[in-house]
Amino acid sequence: MKSIFLKLGLLTTLSVGLIAGKASAEEMDWATKCLSMGDIQTGKNPSYQQINCLLTNAALSKNIPPEVVKAVAEQESAWRQFDENGEVVSDDKNGIGIMQVTLKDPTEETLKRLTDDIIYNIETGVNILNEKYKLQNPSSVPRIPRIAGAGREIIENWYFPVMAYNGIVPSNSPIFRSDGARNWYTYQDQVFSKIERQSFYDDTKLVQYPFEYNDFEYKTDFSTGFKFNKFDYVLTDVLHESGYLLKKGDVVIVTENKTKLREVHPTSDSNGSEQPLNKTFIITGDFEYTKLGSEDYNEKHYVWFPVKSTDGALSGYISSAYLAKKKDFVSPIVTGVKNNSNYNKDVKITFDEGTALLNGAIFKNGATVTKDGKYTLVVKDEESNTTTIKFTIDKTRPVTPSMNSVSDLSTTVTGKAEAGSTVKLSINGKYQKNTTTASNGIYKFTISKQKAGTTISVTATDKVGYVSAPKSLKVVDKTPPAIQSVNKVTSKSKTVTGSAEKYASVKIYRGSTLIGKGSVYSNGKFSVAIKTQKANTYLKVYVIDKAGNKKYRTIKVVK
């Protein structure tokens, strides 16, 4: 079929109504933007540039990042509606054409349109993908996960809609149920790998979801269906907004050092000058597709934006792979040091542009900070955008902590260490817990009572990771010895007998006068010789253990 008939037939075809309903004027409009690139014939694939245009505009018509739609089409058919024999591309699951559309109980007319008309095939595939995105709505049944707070413009937020496009099945589980390993061979992971390689030149890495084993559930023998257990993911790294949302007048910035500004044509084999990371440009028109005949014509999915520098001195084309809105990169980029960080080594600091002050003094780009101290680095670019970083260098090992005496009656361990350091407690060489010292250096641990002779140790680790020498103490015995019994003493008794703690000393006093002493035998008995005492005299029987702890019992001499 010649293109003139297709152009006329396109409006008729679209006006008949798509699978999901009647075609709107906007749906008819997206395809016409690409028809000037050449004839479209049944049985013959359009040029790579024209397919790029069709996929791009179909995606934009549904507010889908074109990077996603292009990678899906690449995964499904390598951007082919027809094979070399002019037959429609199909897989073993009856997928049809460039988007490998599979429909349940399609009409004969629908099958013919999906087979013969690449525009209709793309439109149908994009509609299906758009419907899969809607499954992220909390009220959807079934429901698929999403990135909390992310919208349609975020490429990473299409991970699960792309999965659903192929099928919510065990083979597309990001985690293997058998061993918990990451499954990088899922349909959606292969699609996202293509986005990185062909829309970003493999320099940009899309943000990975923090998947865990129990996020997904299915039987390894596939006897039950696939189940999601988590629906909202929080991704802390910077997400990637579709580059196709840039427009004329936007202030943009170069995202890769030595990016080429192509001076004449939108192609990588056009002459170009290298631009530094964060160089600022203004977009001067709509994006363009790679010029026919260039070396990357049949390889990459990106488009080109016409730009000029803010001072008007430079102009040309830069690939969408290397541009982002200025609002996303308002400050100079500093490497080698991070804000609110501590280091126990020399720190070499570099920055991409501008001038810098370190603690108020001029700092040379690429210089090394070697001395201990607290620092504030301020980097300012030519547009007065500022990056401020505070950091500390501390290469001195913290002093050994002090520790107050610990007895077998103690339930706390206290002492002093370097303020702000982390104190670690060990008992008999086995780590127990840690705590952070207060601003005055005081630390405190709560412990259970320990036996006398137990070794208590603490170390202090400063903010940069240096560890002090250990401070160790033995648990001291503060428990008075036991006195089990003291037998009756009469006015005729010449000994005092009883039972008490083994090996303790025994002393007998009348008032302040020592009248006898001895020791407790290994069987816990004692017998101390005394002179006979008068009836009604009071005696104190002291038992003293090896640690010097003492306990006494008062007895009365009877007749």
Side-chain angles (χ1 to χ4, degrees):
M1 181 185 296
K2 296 294 184 181
S3 62
I4 184 171
F5 296 114
L6 182 57
K7 291 176 184 177
L8 295 174
L10 172 64
L11 300 181
T12 301
T13 297
L14 292 178
S15 66
V16 170
L18 302 175
I19 298 301
K22 296 293 183 180
S24 66
E26 289 79 14
E27 290 169 333
M28 290 187 286
D29 180 65
W30 72 259
T32 61
K33 296 178 181 179
C34 309
L35 297 180
S36 62
M37 293 182 176
D39 294 345
I40 297 179
Q41 303 175 13
T42 298
K44 184 177 180 180
N45 293 312
S47 68
Y48 193 87
Q49 184 189 54
Q50 193 166 19
I51 293 177
N52 194 354
C53 178
L54 291 171
L55 292 170
T56 297
N57 284 284
L60 292 174
S61 74
K62 291 293 184 293
N63 197 19
I64 301 174
E67 296 94 334
V68 175
V69 171
K70 293 178 185 182
V72 168
E74 182 74 28
Q75 178 69 20
E76 293 287 1
S77 65
W79 284 20
R80 298 179 305 145
Q81 177 76 8
F82 306 104
D83 63 19
E84 58 275 6
N85 297 317
E87 300 293 329
V88 69
V89 174
S90 181
D91 64 12
D92 56 4
K93 296 182 180 179
N94 299 317
I96 300 172
I98 186 170
M99 300 301 289
Q100 288 296 283
V101 176
T102 304
L103 298 177
K104 184 178 181 180
D105 300 325
T107 65
E108 183 175 341
E109 178 188 5
T110 298
L111 283 175
K112 181 172 177 57
R113 291 166 66 192
L114 289 172
T115 299
D116 295 343
D117 189 343
I118 188 173
I119 295 174
Y120 181 73
N121 193 291
I122 291 172
E123 174 75 25
T124 304
V126 169
N127 278 340
I128 293 172
L129 184 58
N130 188 47
E131 290 302 314
K132 300 305 182 184
Y133 182 87
K134 295 177 182 178
L135 297 179
Q136 292 182 334
N137 190 304
S139 62
S140 295
V141 179
R143 182 186 174 193
I144 62 175
R146 64 184 179 183
I147 300 173
R152 299 175 65 95
E153 74 283 1
I154 300 300
I155 293 173
E156 288 91 344
N157 203 29
W158 287 84
Y159 182 90
F160 285 103
V162 170
M163 174 189 185
Y165 186 88
N166 181 257
I168 303 173
V169 293
S171 60
N172 285 335
S173 171
I175 299 293
F176 288 113
R177 291 295 293 175
S178 57
D179 59 5
R182 180 70 164 86
N183 180 9
W184 294 105
Y185 299 99
T186 69
Y187 174 86
Q188 65 273 14
D189 280 297
Q190 293 182 67
V191 168
F192 272 64
S193 177
K194 286 178 170 60
I195 295 175
E196 291 179 341
R197 291 199 309 271
Q198 295 176 296
S199 284
F200 289 107
Y201 249 144
D202 222 4
D203 297 303
T204 297
K205 297 299 179 185
L206 298 172
V207 180
Q208 296 296 324
Y209 285 66
F211 294 131
E212 297 181 359
Y213 181 77
N214 289 325
D215 290 356
F216 316 99
E217 189 175 326
Y218 64 89
K219 296 289 186 181
T220 54
D221 61 2
F222 307 140
S223 60
T224 59
F226 186 85
K227 179 182 177 183
F228 296 109
N229 292 326
K230 183 174 182 178
F231 291 96
D232 290 284
Y233 287 88
V234 176
L235 275 60
T236 57
D237 292 335
V238 177
L239 300 173
H240 295 81
E241 185 177 295
S242 174
Y244 293 78
L245 302 181
L246 299 172
K247 59 185 182 299
K248 183 178 179 179
D250 281 347
V251 178
V252 294
I253 201 162
V254 173
T255 60
E256 186 76 18
N257 194 33
K258 297 184 179 180
T259 292
K260 289 290 185 69
L261 172 67
R262 306 298 174 177
E263 298 170 356
V264 180
H265 301 296
T267 169
S268 60
D269 54 11
S270 176
N271 291 331
S273 56
E274 293 182 345
Q275 302 301 311
L277 177 68
N278 273 8
K279 176 68 176 179
T280 304
F281 288 90
I282 299 172
I283 293 178
T284 58
D286 295 334
F287 61 76
E288 300 180 29
Y289 301 95
T290 301
K291 184 176 182 290
L292 293 173
S294 65
E295 64 179 26
D296 55 359
Y297 171 66
N298 289 331
E299 296 178 3
K300 300 298 181 181
H301 295 173
Y302 50 69
V303 293
W304 300 83
F305 281 96
V307 297
K308 67 177 180 180
S309 59
T310 52
D311 60 5
L314 300 172
S315 63
Y317 294 90
I318 295 180
S319 161
S320 59
Y322 295 135
L323 291 177
K325 287 184 180 179
K326 176 69 174 177
K327 69 178 180 64
D328 295 328
F329 299 89
V330 295
S331 302
I333 296 176
V334 178
T335 57
V337 67
K338 294 183 178 180
N339 197 35
N340 296 321
S341 295
N342 298 275
Y343 299 90
N344 57 14
K345 60 182 180 180
D346 297 346
V347 175
K348 182 179 180 180
I349 303 174
T350 59
F351 45 92
D352 62 296
E353 61 175 332
T355 58
L357 297 176
L358 183 67
N359 286 356
I362 295 175
F363 182 80
K364 183 180 178 181
N365 197 354
T368 300
V369 184
T370 61
K371 294 182 179 180
D372 284 15
K374 294 185 177 181
Y375 295 93
T376 299
L377 176 73
V378 179
V379 183
K380 182 180 293 186
D381 66 14
E382 60 186 11
E383 297 177 346
S384 297
N385 298 309
T386 302
T387 297
T388 301
I389 295 178
K390 295 183 178 182
F391 64 98
T392 300
I393 294 180
D394 182 0
K395 295 183 285 186
T396 303
R397 188 178 186 181
V399 298
T400 304
S402 67
M403 181 170 34
N404 299 322
S405 176
V406 181
S407 77
D408 56 354
L409 300 178
S410 298
T411 56
T412 60
V413 176
T414 59
K416 293 192 70 173
E418 181 177 308
S421 64
T422 299
V423 180
K424 295 184 178 181
L425 171 72
S426 297
I427 297 178
N428 280 340
K430 185 176 181 180
Y431 167 75
Q432 301 296 312
K433 60 181 77 173
N434 60 40
T435 188
T436 302
T437 61
S439 58
N440 60 0
I442 298 295
Y443 69 85
K444 180 180 180 180
F445 293 100
T446 299
I447 62 170
S448 57
K449 292 181 180 180
Q450 302 293 317
K451 292 182 179 180
T454 301
T455 301
I456 306 291
S457 299
V458 292
T459 60
T461 303
D462 64 19
K463 293 180 180 179
V464 298
Y466 275 162
V467 182
S468 72
K471 174 65 176 180
S472 299
L473 292 177
K474 295 285 188 181
V475 174
V476 297
D477 184 356
K478 290 293 185 181
T479 302
I483 302 177
Q484 280 80 25
S485 65
V486 177
N487 297 322
K488 184 172 67 174
V489 178
T490 71
S491 58
K492 296 179 181 181
S493 297
K494 294 184 178 181
T495 60
V496 177
T497 61
S499 60
E501 184 176 306
K502 296 178 183 180
Y503 309 118
S505 301
V506 181
K507 293 183 178 180
I508 313 296
Y509 285 88
R510 183 184 67 240
S512 61
T513 303
L514 178 65
I515 63 172
K517 60 182 180 179
S519 299
V520 181
Y521 305 124
S522 60
N523 62 359
K525 305 293 184 179
F526 65 85
S527 179
V528 178
I530 62 170
K531 292 180 179 180
T532 58
Q533 302 293 314
K534 292 180 180 180
N536 297 322
T537 300
Y538 286 93
L539 304 178
K540 286 186 177 180
V541 181
Y542 280 88
V543 177
I544 305 100
D545 64 18
K546 292 183 177 180
N549 301 306
K550 62 177 66 176
K551 191 174 185 180
Y552 71 90
R553 187 173 293 184
T554 302
I555 60 172
K556 183 179 180 181
V557 179
V558 298
K559 287 185 179 180

